[in-house]
Amino acid sequence: MVGCNIHPSIPIPNTGTSSLRIADVATGTAIWLLDLASTLPSSSTTEFYGFDISTKQFPAPEDRPANVSLYEHNVLNPFPEEYHGTFDVVAVRLITAGLRTSDRETAVENLCTLLSTHPPFFDILSLSLHVLQYATAWISTPCSPFS
């Protein structure tokens, strides 16, 4: 859609000295995570996490790199505490078609809990302006760790 797997302004480590934790929500087949993992240098220590409402499309563990982990999770439910504030990049694509308008704010709030506080990146493609307004409002509120 934009000619790259991840926005060019997001720094990608190219050595084992630094790493990123990347979450892909509504990952489906995890193709985006797998493609991104294959494009990084082998010395990268980046960790990839995919979350989806169903595991039916997940590739088998033996068909993915060791640094790609996939989990069943509904974005309308809060993410487990162990993931709160731990991701440098949270990617979300093509999710609005599967959400009722009344569920969008809940989804964005749950997604924002994943973001770390050292500058996080919310890589959102194909979300409606309505959902982006929720995300922008939530990230700038006093209760947000990013305000």
Side-chain angles (χ1 to χ4, degrees), residues 60-81:
E62 61 271 12
D63 293 334
R64 59 185 192 244
N67 63 339
V68 175
S69 302
L70 303 175
Y71 302 95
E72 184 173 4
H73 185 80
N74 183 337
V75 72
L76 298 178
N77 297 326
F79 283 88
E81 288 279 332

Side-chain angles (χ1 to χ4, degrees), residues 26-123:
T27 195
T29 63
I31 190 67
W32 181 77
L33 283 178
L34 296 171
D35 190 46
L36 184 59
S38 73
T39 63
L40 294 179
S42 59
S43 60
S44 172
T45 57
T46 300
E47 298 174 51
F48 302 91
Y49 294 79
F51 300 95
D52 202 277
I53 195 168
S54 171
T55 62
K56 290 182 182 177
Q57 296 184 67
F58 288 177
E62 61 271 12
D63 293 334
R64 59 185 192 244
N67 63 339
V68 175
S69 302
L70 303 175
Y71 302 95
E72 184 173 4
H73 185 80
N74 183 337
V75 72
L76 298 178
N77 297 326
F79 283 88
E81 288 279 332
E82 66 192 81
Y83 299 118
H84 288 196
T86 64
F87 292 98
D88 303 295
V89 177
V90 175
V92 187
R93 288 163 175 77
L94 304 173
I95 195 172
T96 55
L99 292 176
R100 292 185 300 245
T101 302
S102 60
D103 290 333
R104 292 175 180 169
E105 185 172 4
T106 299
V108 170
E109 287 174 359
N110 289 335
L111 290 167
C112 288
T113 65
L114 299 173
L115 292 168
S116 69
T117 56
H118 60 278
F121 297 95
F122 209 6
D123 189 14

